[in-house]
Amino acid sequence: MGREESGSWVTIGTFARLCRLSAKALRRYDELGLLPPALVDPVSGYRYYAEGQVETARLVAWLRRIGMPLNRIKEVLALGDPGAAAASIRAYWARVEAETAARRDLAVFLADHLSAREAVGPVGTLGTLGIRYAARSVRGAARERNQDAAYAGARLLAVADGFGAGGAGASAAAIDALKPVALGAAGAAGLLNVLEDAAERAVRAVRDAVAGSGADGEPDGSGTTLTAMVWNGAQLGLVHIGDSRAHLLRDGGLFRITHDHSAVQSMIDDGSLTEAEASSHPQRALLLRALVGGDDDGSAVPTPDVRLQAPDARLRTPDVRLQEVRPGDRYLLCSDGLSAAVGGAETARVLAGADGPGTAVRELVALAVAAGGQDDVSCVVADVVSL
Protein backbone atom coordinates (compact mmCIF):
# COMPACT_ATOMS: atom_id res chain seq x y z
CA MET A 1 0.00 0.00 0.00
CA GLY A 2 2.69 2.45 -0.99
CA ARG A 3 0.32 4.47 -3.19
CA GLU A 4 -1.06 7.86 -2.10
CA GLU A 5 -4.56 6.40 -2.14
CA SER A 6 -5.87 2.83 -2.23
CA GLY A 7 -9.59 2.38 -2.85
CA SER A 8 -11.53 4.19 -0.15
CA TRP A 9 -8.42 4.58 2.05
CA VAL A 10 -6.27 7.67 2.04
CA THR A 11 -2.89 8.26 3.59
CA ILE A 12 -2.45 10.44 6.65
CA GLY A 13 -1.04 13.25 4.47
CA THR A 14 -4.06 13.31 2.17
CA PHE A 15 -6.44 12.95 5.09
CA ALA A 16 -4.75 15.87 6.87
CA ARG A 17 -5.35 18.08 3.83
CA LEU A 18 -8.98 16.98 3.53
CA CYS A 19 -9.87 17.66 7.16
CA ARG A 20 -7.55 20.66 7.71
CA LEU A 21 -5.68 19.04 10.57
CA SER A 22 -1.94 18.50 10.72
CA ALA A 23 -0.46 15.03 10.51
CA LYS A 24 1.04 15.65 13.95
CA ALA A 25 -2.43 16.39 15.37
CA LEU A 26 -3.84 13.25 13.74
CA ARG A 27 -1.12 11.10 15.28
CA ARG A 28 -1.85 12.67 18.67
CA TYR A 29 -5.60 12.04 18.31
CA ASP A 30 -4.87 8.43 17.35
CA GLU A 31 -2.77 7.95 20.50
CA LEU A 32 -5.63 9.30 22.61
CA GLY A 33 -8.20 7.06 20.93
CA LEU A 34 -10.02 10.16 19.74
CA LEU A 35 -9.68 9.66 15.97
CA PRO A 36 -8.04 6.29 15.19
CA PRO A 37 -7.19 5.49 11.56
CA ALA A 38 -9.31 2.99 9.69
CA LEU A 39 -6.25 0.87 8.91
CA VAL A 40 -2.63 0.61 10.02
CA ASP A 41 -0.21 -1.20 7.74
CA PRO A 42 1.25 -4.03 9.91
CA VAL A 43 4.60 -3.86 8.10
CA SER A 44 5.25 -0.16 7.55
CA GLY A 45 3.07 1.22 10.35
CA TYR A 46 1.55 3.74 7.92
CA ARG A 47 -1.85 5.08 8.94
CA TYR A 48 -4.71 5.06 6.45
CA TYR A 49 -8.05 6.77 6.94
CA ALA A 50 -11.46 6.23 5.40
CA GLU A 51 -12.86 9.13 3.42
CA GLY A 52 -15.99 8.82 5.54
CA GLN A 53 -13.95 9.94 8.58
CA VAL A 54 -13.43 13.42 7.14
CA GLU A 55 -16.65 14.82 8.61
CA THR A 56 -15.74 13.57 12.09
CA ALA A 57 -12.23 14.96 11.79
CA ARG A 58 -13.53 18.37 10.72
CA LEU A 59 -15.87 18.38 13.70
CA VAL A 60 -12.87 17.70 15.94
CA ALA A 61 -11.04 20.61 14.33
CA TRP A 62 -13.94 23.00 14.92
CA LEU A 63 -14.41 21.87 18.51
CA ARG A 64 -10.71 22.45 19.15
CA ARG A 65 -11.12 25.92 17.66
CA ILE A 66 -13.72 26.83 20.30
CA GLY A 67 -11.34 25.59 22.98
CA MET A 68 -13.04 22.30 23.90
CA PRO A 69 -10.63 19.97 25.73
CA LEU A 70 -9.76 16.70 24.01
CA ASN A 71 -11.39 14.55 26.70
CA ARG A 72 -14.66 16.47 26.27
CA ILE A 73 -14.44 16.11 22.46
CA LYS A 74 -14.03 12.36 22.93
CA GLU A 75 -17.22 12.33 25.03
CA VAL A 76 -19.11 14.25 22.34
CA LEU A 77 -18.02 11.86 19.59
CA ALA A 78 -18.93 8.85 21.73
CA LEU A 79 -22.53 10.04 22.02
CA GLY A 80 -23.22 9.01 18.43
CA ASP A 81 -26.60 10.72 18.26
CA PRO A 82 -26.30 14.17 16.62
CA GLY A 83 -28.96 15.65 18.89
CA ALA A 84 -27.20 14.51 22.04
CA ALA A 85 -23.87 15.76 20.67
CA ALA A 86 -25.42 19.15 19.91
CA ALA A 87 -26.82 19.39 23.45
CA SER A 88 -23.41 18.53 24.90
CA ILE A 89 -21.75 21.27 22.82
CA ARG A 90 -24.37 23.82 23.92
CA ALA A 91 -23.84 22.86 27.57
CA TYR A 92 -20.07 23.21 27.20
CA TRP A 93 -20.33 26.64 25.62
CA ALA A 94 -22.84 27.84 28.22
CA ARG A 95 -20.32 26.93 30.88
CA VAL A 96 -17.53 28.74 29.02
CA GLU A 97 -19.69 31.87 28.80
CA ALA A 98 -20.51 31.72 32.52
CA GLU A 99 -16.84 31.34 33.46
CA THR A 100 -15.86 34.10 31.04
CA ALA A 101 -18.46 36.41 32.56
CA ALA A 102 -17.01 35.80 36.02
CA ARG A 103 -13.50 36.60 34.77
CA ARG A 104 -14.81 39.69 32.97
CA ASP A 105 -16.45 40.95 36.17
CA LEU A 106 -13.18 40.46 38.05
CA ALA A 107 -11.19 42.25 35.33
CA VAL A 108 -13.59 45.20 35.36
CA PHE A 109 -13.48 45.36 39.15
CA LEU A 110 -9.68 45.37 39.24
CA ALA A 111 -9.45 48.02 36.51
CA ASP A 112 -11.97 50.22 38.34
CA HIS A 113 -10.15 49.68 41.63
CA LEU A 114 -6.80 50.73 40.16
CA SER A 115 -8.40 53.73 38.44
CA ALA A 116 -9.91 54.83 41.74
CA ARG A 117 -6.52 54.53 43.48
CA GLU A 118 -4.94 56.69 40.79
CA ALA A 119 -7.69 59.29 41.16
CA VAL A 120 -7.62 59.66 44.95
CA GLY A 121 -3.93 58.88 45.58
CA PRO A 122 -2.50 56.30 47.97
CA VAL A 123 -3.89 58.04 51.07
CA GLY A 124 -7.49 58.36 49.84
CA THR A 125 -10.30 56.78 51.90
CA LEU A 126 -13.62 55.22 51.02
CA GLY A 127 -15.43 56.38 54.12
CA THR A 128 -16.41 54.13 57.01
CA LEU A 129 -18.75 51.24 56.32
CA GLY A 130 -19.91 48.37 58.46
CA ILE A 131 -22.26 45.40 58.27
CA ARG A 132 -25.11 44.28 60.49
CA TYR A 133 -26.07 40.65 60.19
CA ALA A 134 -28.15 37.71 61.37
CA ALA A 135 -28.26 33.98 60.58
CA ARG A 136 -30.77 31.19 61.09
CA SER A 137 -30.90 27.49 60.21
CA VAL A 138 -33.65 24.93 60.89
CA ARG A 139 -34.00 21.22 60.21
CA GLY A 140 -36.38 20.18 57.45
CA ALA A 141 -39.41 18.04 58.27
CA ALA A 142 -38.11 15.22 56.06
CA ARG A 143 -34.60 15.25 57.56
CA GLU A 144 -33.30 13.23 60.50
CA ARG A 145 -30.76 15.94 61.25
CA ASN A 146 -29.91 19.39 59.96
CA GLN A 147 -27.10 19.09 57.41
CA ASP A 148 -27.09 22.82 56.69
CA ALA A 149 -24.82 25.28 58.46
CA ALA A 150 -25.14 29.06 58.61
CA TYR A 151 -22.85 31.66 60.14
CA ALA A 152 -22.82 35.44 60.39
CA GLY A 153 -20.01 37.43 61.98
CA ALA A 154 -18.12 40.69 61.67
CA ARG A 155 -15.84 39.32 58.93
CA LEU A 156 -17.68 36.31 57.51
CA LEU A 157 -21.15 35.44 56.23
CA ALA A 158 -21.67 31.85 55.12
CA VAL A 159 -24.23 29.18 54.25
CA ALA A 160 -23.39 25.54 53.45
CA ASP A 161 -25.75 22.69 52.51
CA GLY A 162 -24.32 19.26 53.28
CA PHE A 163 -25.27 15.99 51.61
CA GLY A 164 -24.50 12.31 52.10
CA ALA A 165 -23.75 10.48 55.33
CA GLY A 166 -21.07 13.00 56.29
CA GLY A 167 -22.98 16.06 55.10
CA ALA A 168 -23.45 17.73 58.48
CA GLY A 169 -19.75 17.50 59.23
CA ALA A 170 -18.86 18.71 55.75
CA SER A 171 -20.99 21.86 55.93
CA ALA A 172 -19.69 22.75 59.39
CA ALA A 173 -16.07 22.09 58.36
CA ALA A 174 -16.35 24.26 55.25
CA ILE A 175 -17.50 27.28 57.25
CA ASP A 176 -15.11 26.71 60.15
CA ALA A 177 -12.21 26.66 57.68
CA LEU A 178 -13.08 30.19 56.54
CA LYS A 179 -13.29 31.85 59.95
CA PRO A 180 -9.58 32.34 60.65
CA VAL A 181 -8.84 33.23 57.03
CA ALA A 182 -11.45 35.99 56.97
CA LEU A 183 -9.62 37.85 59.73
CA GLY A 184 -6.74 38.57 57.34
CA ALA A 185 -8.82 40.38 54.71
CA ALA A 186 -7.40 43.82 53.88
CA GLY A 187 -7.55 45.86 50.68
CA ALA A 188 -8.76 44.67 47.28
CA ALA A 189 -5.61 42.74 46.38
CA GLY A 190 -5.39 41.36 49.90
CA LEU A 191 -9.02 40.29 49.79
CA LEU A 192 -8.51 38.38 46.55
CA ASN A 193 -5.62 36.49 48.14
CA VAL A 194 -7.75 35.77 51.20
CA LEU A 195 -10.53 34.39 49.00
CA GLU A 196 -8.16 32.05 47.18
CA ASP A 197 -6.74 30.85 50.50
CA ALA A 198 -10.24 30.42 51.92
CA ALA A 199 -11.33 28.33 48.93
CA GLU A 200 -8.31 26.04 49.26
CA ARG A 201 -8.81 25.64 53.02
CA ALA A 202 -12.48 24.78 52.53
CA VAL A 203 -11.61 22.09 49.97
CA ARG A 204 -9.11 20.48 52.35
CA ALA A 205 -11.38 20.81 55.39
CA VAL A 206 -14.29 19.05 53.71
CA ARG A 207 -12.04 16.31 52.35
CA ASP A 208 -10.75 15.65 55.86
CA ALA A 209 -14.18 15.92 57.48
CA VAL A 210 -15.82 13.24 55.33
CA ALA A 211 -12.87 10.86 55.13
CA GLY A 212 -14.12 7.43 56.12
CA SER A 213 -17.78 8.49 56.18
CA GLY A 214 -18.78 5.51 54.03
CA ALA A 215 -19.81 2.17 55.48
CA ASP A 216 -16.53 0.56 54.43
CA GLY A 217 -14.42 3.38 55.84
CA GLU A 218 -13.92 4.99 52.44
CA PRO A 219 -15.26 8.36 51.22
CA ASP A 220 -18.87 7.93 50.10
CA GLY A 221 -19.31 11.08 48.03
CA SER A 222 -20.51 13.14 50.98
CA GLY A 223 -19.90 16.84 50.71
CA THR A 224 -21.41 20.30 50.81
CA THR A 225 -22.22 23.41 48.88
CA LEU A 226 -20.68 26.66 50.13
CA THR A 227 -21.67 30.27 49.58
CA ALA A 228 -19.71 32.71 51.72
CA MET A 229 -18.83 36.40 51.78
CA VAL A 230 -15.75 37.86 53.45
CA TRP A 231 -15.92 41.49 54.64
CA ASN A 232 -12.77 43.64 54.81
CA GLY A 233 -14.37 46.89 55.93
CA ALA A 234 -14.99 48.28 52.46
CA GLN A 235 -15.66 45.33 50.15
CA LEU A 236 -17.21 41.89 50.14
CA GLY A 237 -15.47 38.91 48.58
CA LEU A 238 -17.50 35.91 47.44
CA VAL A 239 -16.59 32.22 47.66
CA HIS A 240 -19.18 30.03 45.93
CA ILE A 241 -19.70 26.42 44.84
CA GLY A 242 -22.92 24.44 44.43
CA ASP A 243 -26.51 25.69 44.42
CA SER A 244 -26.75 27.69 47.63
CA ARG A 245 -27.22 31.30 46.58
CA ALA A 246 -26.31 34.90 47.29
CA HIS A 247 -28.69 37.75 46.47
CA LEU A 248 -28.38 41.51 46.61
CA LEU A 249 -31.27 43.88 47.37
CA ARG A 250 -30.32 47.29 46.00
CA ASP A 251 -32.54 50.26 45.15
CA GLY A 252 -35.65 48.11 45.51
CA GLY A 253 -34.47 45.38 43.11
CA LEU A 254 -33.42 41.86 44.06
CA PHE A 255 -30.49 40.42 42.08
CA ARG A 256 -28.95 36.95 42.27
CA ILE A 257 -25.17 37.35 42.29
CA THR A 258 -24.21 33.67 42.19
CA HIS A 259 -24.57 31.10 39.42
CA ASP A 260 -25.82 27.64 40.39
CA HIS A 261 -23.44 24.77 39.67
CA SER A 262 -26.29 22.38 38.97
CA ALA A 263 -27.64 20.18 36.19
CA VAL A 264 -30.78 22.24 35.70
CA GLN A 265 -28.82 25.51 35.60
CA SER A 266 -26.65 24.11 32.81
CA MET A 267 -29.84 23.25 30.90
CA ILE A 268 -31.18 26.76 31.47
CA ASP A 269 -27.88 28.17 30.23
CA ASP A 270 -27.95 26.18 27.00
CA GLY A 271 -31.61 27.02 26.37
CA SER A 272 -33.01 23.51 26.78
CA LEU A 273 -34.94 24.39 29.96
CA THR A 274 -36.77 27.45 31.27
CA GLU A 275 -36.59 28.82 34.81
CA ALA A 276 -40.20 27.76 35.37
CA GLU A 277 -39.51 24.21 34.15
CA ALA A 278 -36.40 23.95 36.32
CA SER A 279 -38.38 24.28 39.56
CA SER A 280 -40.11 20.93 38.96
CA HIS A 281 -37.41 19.10 37.02
CA PRO A 282 -36.53 15.66 38.45
CA GLN A 283 -32.82 16.57 38.46
CA ARG A 284 -33.25 19.96 40.14
CA ALA A 285 -31.14 18.87 43.15
CA LEU A 286 -28.31 17.35 41.09
CA LEU A 287 -25.04 19.26 41.42
CA LEU A 288 -22.23 19.55 38.92
CA ARG A 289 -19.78 21.12 41.39
CA ALA A 290 -19.46 20.85 45.16
CA LEU A 291 -16.93 20.32 47.95
CA VAL A 292 -16.56 16.55 48.41
CA GLY A 293 -14.31 13.97 49.98
CA GLY A 294 -11.82 11.74 48.21
CA ASP A 295 -8.28 12.13 46.93
CA ASP A 296 -7.05 15.10 44.95
CA ASP A 297 -7.67 13.15 41.75
CA GLY A 298 -11.40 13.09 42.53
CA SER A 299 -11.55 9.34 43.20
CA ALA A 300 -14.58 9.54 45.49
CA VAL A 301 -17.59 7.76 43.99
CA PRO A 302 -21.00 9.09 45.09
CA THR A 303 -23.66 6.76 46.38
CA PRO A 304 -27.07 6.87 44.61
CA ASP A 305 -28.62 9.29 47.10
CA VAL A 306 -25.77 11.80 46.91
CA ARG A 307 -26.42 15.00 44.98
CA LEU A 308 -23.12 15.33 43.13
CA GLN A 309 -22.97 14.11 39.55
CA ALA A 310 -19.28 14.43 38.62
CA PRO A 311 -16.86 14.68 41.57
CA ASP A 312 -13.45 15.28 40.01
CA ALA A 313 -10.79 17.57 41.46
CA ARG A 314 -11.53 20.38 38.99
CA LEU A 315 -15.17 20.42 40.00
CA ARG A 316 -14.33 20.82 43.69
CA THR A 317 -12.84 24.31 43.23
CA PRO A 318 -15.06 27.21 44.34
CA ASP A 319 -15.53 30.39 42.34
CA VAL A 320 -14.10 33.54 43.91
CA ARG A 321 -14.87 37.17 43.05
CA LEU A 322 -15.11 40.63 44.57
CA GLN A 323 -18.41 42.41 45.13
CA GLU A 324 -18.73 46.20 45.03
CA VAL A 325 -20.82 47.46 47.95
CA ARG A 326 -22.87 50.55 48.71
CA PRO A 327 -24.46 51.82 51.91
CA GLY A 328 -28.03 50.51 51.99
CA ASP A 329 -27.22 47.19 50.28
CA ARG A 330 -28.88 44.16 51.83
CA TYR A 331 -27.40 40.72 51.11
CA LEU A 332 -29.09 37.34 51.44
CA LEU A 333 -27.21 34.04 51.47
CA CYS A 334 -29.41 30.94 51.54
CA SER A 335 -29.50 27.20 50.98
CA ASP A 336 -31.83 25.72 48.37
CA GLY A 337 -34.24 24.85 51.16
CA LEU A 338 -35.23 28.51 51.04
CA SER A 339 -34.85 29.32 47.33
CA ALA A 340 -36.83 26.22 46.27
CA ALA A 341 -39.68 26.92 48.68
CA VAL A 342 -40.07 30.71 48.54
CA GLY A 343 -40.44 32.58 45.27
CA GLY A 344 -38.33 35.52 44.23
CA ALA A 345 -41.13 38.07 44.54
CA GLU A 346 -41.95 36.98 48.09
CA THR A 347 -38.27 36.96 49.04
CA ALA A 348 -37.85 40.49 47.69
CA ARG A 349 -40.94 41.66 49.59
CA VAL A 350 -39.62 40.33 52.90
CA LEU A 351 -36.11 41.68 52.38
CA ALA A 352 -37.40 45.12 51.39
CA GLY A 353 -39.84 45.36 54.28
CA ALA A 354 -37.88 43.87 57.19
CA ASP A 355 -36.61 46.41 59.72
CA GLY A 356 -33.32 44.56 60.17
CA PRO A 357 -31.43 41.36 59.35
CA GLY A 358 -32.86 39.51 62.36
CA THR A 359 -36.44 40.16 61.28
CA ALA A 360 -35.63 39.20 57.69
CA VAL A 361 -34.12 35.79 58.52
CA ARG A 362 -36.98 34.92 60.87
CA GLU A 363 -39.63 35.80 58.31
CA LEU A 364 -37.89 34.04 55.44
CA VAL A 365 -37.38 30.82 57.38
CA ALA A 366 -40.99 30.95 58.57
CA LEU A 367 -42.18 31.24 54.96
CA ALA A 368 -40.13 28.23 53.90
CA VAL A 369 -41.46 26.16 56.80
CA ALA A 370 -45.02 27.21 56.02
CA ALA A 371 -44.51 26.16 52.38
CA GLY A 372 -43.81 22.60 53.50
CA GLY A 373 -40.31 22.87 54.89
CA GLN A 374 -39.23 19.37 53.85
CA ASP A 375 -35.61 20.40 53.31
CA ASP A 376 -33.27 22.06 55.77
CA VAL A 377 -33.53 25.84 55.54
CA SER A 378 -30.67 28.25 56.21
CA CYS A 379 -30.20 31.91 55.50
CA VAL A 380 -27.97 34.84 56.39
CA VAL A 381 -28.96 38.48 55.90
CA ALA A 382 -26.49 41.36 56.14
CA ASP A 383 -26.90 45.11 55.72
CA VAL A 384 -24.13 47.45 54.60
CA VAL A 385 -24.36 50.62 56.70
CA SER A 386 -22.47 53.89 57.07
CA LEU A 387 -20.88 54.23 60.48
Side-chain angles (χ1 to χ4, degrees):
M1 296 183 67
R3 295 171 298 169
E4 178 70 3
E5 299 186 9
S6 178
S8 61
W9 312 118
V10 296
T11 64
I12 189 171
T14 299
F15 190 72
R17 291 194 293 274
L18 289 172
C19 64
R20 302 183 182 91
L21 286 168
S22 69
K24 180 179 180 181
L26 289 173
R27 285 191 288 269
R28 174 62 172 159
Y29 298 162
D30 179 16
E31 292 170 359
L32 295 174
L34 178 64
L35 191 63
L39 177 68
V40 178
D41 189 304
V43 177
S44 66
Y46 288 166
R47 295 173 172 87
Y48 294 89
Y49 292 82
E51 292 180 349
Q53 291 181 279
V54 170
E55 184 177 352
T56 299
R58 285 179 175 170
L59 175 60
V60 172
W62 283 114
L63 292 177
R64 288 297 290 157
R65 184 168 292 189
I66 67 172
M68 184 177 285
L70 292 175
N71 63 341
R72 182 65 181 266
I73 294 175
K74 189 174 183 180
E75 293 173 4
V76 171
L77 297 182
L79 291 172
D81 176 61
S88 181
I89 294 170
R90 291 191 190 98
Y92 165 77
W93 192 248
R95 178 175 175 181
V96 169
E97 289 184 324
E99 292 175 348
T100 301
R103 291 195 295 270
R104 181 190 64 235
D105 290 346
L106 178 57
V108 170
F109 180 92
L110 291 173
D112 290 346
H113 169 70
L114 293 174
S115 297
R117 285 184 59 185
E118 181 180 23
V120 303
V123 188
T125 62
L126 296 171
T128 305
L129 297 176
I131 57 171
R132 295 173 181 160
Y133 45 83
R136 184 168 174 77
S137 180
V138 300
R139 179 176 61 85
R143 306 295 186 187
E144 294 183 0
R145 60 182 302 193
N146 189 354
Q147 292 191 308
D148 280 7
Y151 176 83
R155 291 288 184 179
L156 176 67
L157 314 167
V159 165
D161 180 358
F163 53 82
S171 60
I175 293 179
D176 286 344
L178 303 188
K179 293 176 182 177
V181 182
L183 296 176
L191 183 53
L192 278 173
N193 293 332
V194 164
L195 295 178
E196 292 286 355
D197 188 29
E200 292 175 3
R201 286 176 61 99
V203 170
R204 293 195 299 268
V206 171
R207 184 183 61 212
D208 294 343
V210 303
S213 56
D216 56 358
E218 297 294 328
D220 68 345
S222 296
T224 185
T225 69
L226 176 65
T227 300
M229 303 191 85
V230 176
W231 173 246
N232 71 350
Q235 297 158 314
L236 281 166
L238 177 70
V239 178
H240 170 69
I241 188 167
D243 64 352
S244 294
R245 295 177 176 179
H247 300 262
L248 165 63
L249 182 73
R250 174 180 287 175
D251 299 330
L254 184 64
F255 308 93
R256 176 149 59 106
I257 58 175
T258 53
H259 193 77
D260 289 352
H261 301 134
S262 65
V264 294
Q265 184 64 59
S266 70
M267 289 185 276
I268 293 171
D269 292 342
D270 67 25
S272 61
L273 201 66
T274 66
E275 291 277 2
E277 292 169 337
S279 62
S280 58
H281 195 277
Q283 290 186 318
R284 62 187 179 277
L286 188 61
L287 298 175
L288 300 182
R289 291 172 61 184
L291 301 177
V292 295
D295 297 331
D296 288 336
D297 63 0
S299 59
V301 178
T303 53
D305 63 332
V306 170
R307 297 176 60 199
L308 187 64
Q309 183 182 50
D312 64 44
R314 177 177 55 85
L315 300 181
R316 292 196 302 230
T317 304
D319 295 333
V320 298
R321 54 171 287 189
L322 300 180
Q323 175 68 29
E324 174 261 341
V325 299
R326 301 178 189 172
D329 284 351
R330 174 166 283 179
Y331 289 88
L332 166 68
L333 280 61
C334 65
S335 64
D336 69 332
L338 177 66
S339 56
V342 182
E346 191 72 349
T347 299
R349 180 191 64 78
V350 171
L351 288 173
D355 58 8
T359 302
V361 297
R362 287 193 297 272
E363 291 186 8
L364 288 171
V365 170
L367 283 174
V369 171
Q374 297 300 299
D375 198 2
D376 303 329
V377 182
S378 296
C379 65
V380 170
V381 173
D383 291 346
V384 178
V385 297
S386 297
L387 299 178

